[in-house]
Amino acid sequence: MKRFLKISGVVVGVLVLLVAVAAVALPLLIDPNDHKDRIVALAKEHTGRDLRIDGNIGLSVFPWLGVSLGQAQLGNAPGFDNPVFVGLDKMQIRVKLLPLISRRVEMDTVTVRGLKLNLARDANGRTNWADLTAAKPGEPEGKPEKETDGTALAALAIGGLDVRGAAVSWHDAQSGQQVGIDKLAVKTGPLRPDAPVDLSIDFDLESEALGVAGHVVTDARVSLDLERQLYRAEGLIIRADLKGGAIPGGKASVQGAGTATFDAASQRVSVSGFKLDSSPLALPDHSAKFSVAGEISGDLAAQVFEASGLKVQANLEGKTSPKDRMVAT
């Protein structure tokens, strides 16, 4: 037995040494930047889009098997004004090497910097991502679901997501609506299957159609049921400092809280324990501070929403009366 353990220890030691040597040698022997043309060609073959890689591609092996990508951008679909669909300044993805031997995937926090995403719909209702999700010629519209190894999925662990300096724009040529999100930051805790995750989102918002601009911060603990397509945000808090012609007095601060549930299969959304409070709004003869509470549900596809147990409270101050308080249910 002692001899067996000794031999096993030597074998394990040799394997670890080989892995360490490979980890040092591979990045020296293989430069992924030499294969940029091949990567660009594969992107064109599979997406029909032009991929441009201006930054460097980095490769690491031990103790993290990782890839980093510098400045890159993917072209837009034909017929859209903006030539760029998505671009980024930097992205890094790393996976611990040794746990892969035990079929465990332990990813580091995925970091993305300077993401730029341009979403659009043309006058005919075609989106600029439809070609990326459509079935290729010869393929059935709905691919049969593959059986997944539950143990492999359970072994997946992602350290989190860290996105900073992102911007997202939406232009709808059918309605003329334009919405821009800038200085977007997304931060999550560790991501694991069947476990809730802490989520924080921070961004600047501007909508010409709504006549509103401002800064929005959101925090929640999110649960994802991918199989049933159910998404739930508990302890949801939204804080917004807004300004614009659509707001009485030109500016306001609002804070909302509740628990939100979204059923992607039925396109239904509901918010329980909903409460929304505003800062004083400047009206012609009054200043008014509003508070709204209740339950809200709706069908996103039909754009039909319902409110139950709704309670609205307004505190008024102004010329007509020194102080009024109005409550409606």
Side-chain angles (χ1 to χ4, degrees), residues 245-261:
I247 301 174
K251 62 179 181 179
S253 295
V254 295
Q255 177 166 314
T259 296
T261 303

Side-chain angles (χ1 to χ4, degrees), residues 45-59:
E45 178 183 345
H46 290 282
T47 69
R49 308 277 190 99
D50 293 323
L51 175 65
R52 178 174 172 178
I53 305 176
D54 295 325
N56 289 326
I57 304 173
L59 176 66

Side-chain angles (χ1 to χ4, degrees), residues 17-325:
L17 178 61
L18 290 174
V19 170
V21 170
V24 174
L26 279 177
L28 298 176
L29 299 175
I30 301 175
D31 185 357
N33 293 284
D34 294 337
H35 303 278
K36 281 185 179 181
D37 291 342
R38 177 57 178 161
I39 296 172
V40 169
L42 286 173
K44 184 70 172 180
E45 178 183 345
H46 290 282
T47 69
R49 308 277 190 99
D50 293 323
L51 175 65
R52 178 174 172 178
I53 305 176
D54 295 325
N56 289 326
I57 304 173
L59 176 66
S60 64
V61 180
F62 190 82
W64 294 94
L65 179 63
V67 175
S68 62
L69 176 63
Q71 287 188 338
Q73 63 183 35
L74 181 66
N76 214 340
F80 290 89
D81 294 336
N82 197 319
V84 178
F85 174 64
V86 63
L88 56 83
D89 292 336
K90 184 180 180 181
M91 180 174 67
Q92 179 176 272
I93 301 175
R94 304 195 309 172
V95 181
K96 275 189 177 180
L97 181 61
L98 293 181
L100 291 176
I101 300 174
S102 302
R103 301 183 67 193
R104 288 185 293 112
V105 180
E106 296 183 11
M107 293 181 64
D108 193 10
T109 298
V110 177
T111 60
V112 181
R113 299 291 182 266
L115 176 70
K116 301 292 186 293
L117 178 61
N118 300 307
L119 302 176
R121 179 164 56 188
D122 65 17
N124 297 319
R126 180 176 63 100
T127 63
N128 64 340
W129 64 87
D131 59 315
L132 298 178
T133 58
K136 294 181 175 58
E139 290 184 353
E141 290 291 333
K143 294 182 180 179
E145 295 183 0
K146 296 180 179 179
E147 294 185 3
T148 57
D149 187 343
T151 58
L153 183 60
L156 174 66
I158 302 175
L161 178 64
D162 184 3
V163 178
R164 299 182 195 175
V168 180
S169 67
W170 165 247
H171 179 210
D172 188 347
Q174 280 191 324
S175 65
Q177 185 185 54
Q178 294 189 54
V179 178
I181 292 177
D182 198 15
K183 298 179 182 177
L184 171 65
V186 180
K187 182 79 173 179
T188 76
L191 302 171
R192 294 181 175 85
D194 302 323
V197 57
D198 292 325
L199 172 66
S200 178
I201 303 176
D202 188 315
F203 60 90
D204 287 344
L205 170 70
E206 182 174 1
S207 172
E208 293 182 2
L210 299 177
V212 173
H215 185 72
V216 181
V217 178
T218 302
D219 294 291
R221 189 162 180 79
V222 179
S223 300
L224 309 177
D225 188 336
L226 300 180
E227 183 177 349
R228 298 169 59 195
Q229 298 186 60
L230 289 176
Y231 310 96
R232 181 179 177 87
E234 297 181 283
L236 175 64
I237 297 176
I238 301 176
R239 298 176 293 275
D241 295 314
L242 305 173
K243 60 183 179 180
I247 301 174
K251 62 179 181 179
S253 295
V254 295
Q255 177 166 314
T259 296
T261 303
F262 174 54
D263 186 335
S266 64
Q267 288 291 293
R268 289 197 61 85
V269 62
S270 64
V271 183
S272 60
F274 171 73
K275 185 176 182 182
L276 179 68
D277 296 303
S278 76
S279 64
L281 303 176
L283 302 176
D285 295 323
H286 294 82
S287 67
K289 183 177 181 180
F290 292 93
S291 178
V292 182
E295 313 289 325
I296 297 175
S297 62
D299 186 328
L300 293 180
Q303 294 290 298
V304 176
F305 300 91
E306 302 173 349
S308 60
L310 197 62
K311 182 177 181 180
V312 181
Q313 178 177 311
N315 292 320
L316 307 176
E317 293 185 4
K319 298 177 182 179
T320 305
S321 61
K323 187 173 184 179
D324 296 320
R325 183 171 180 267

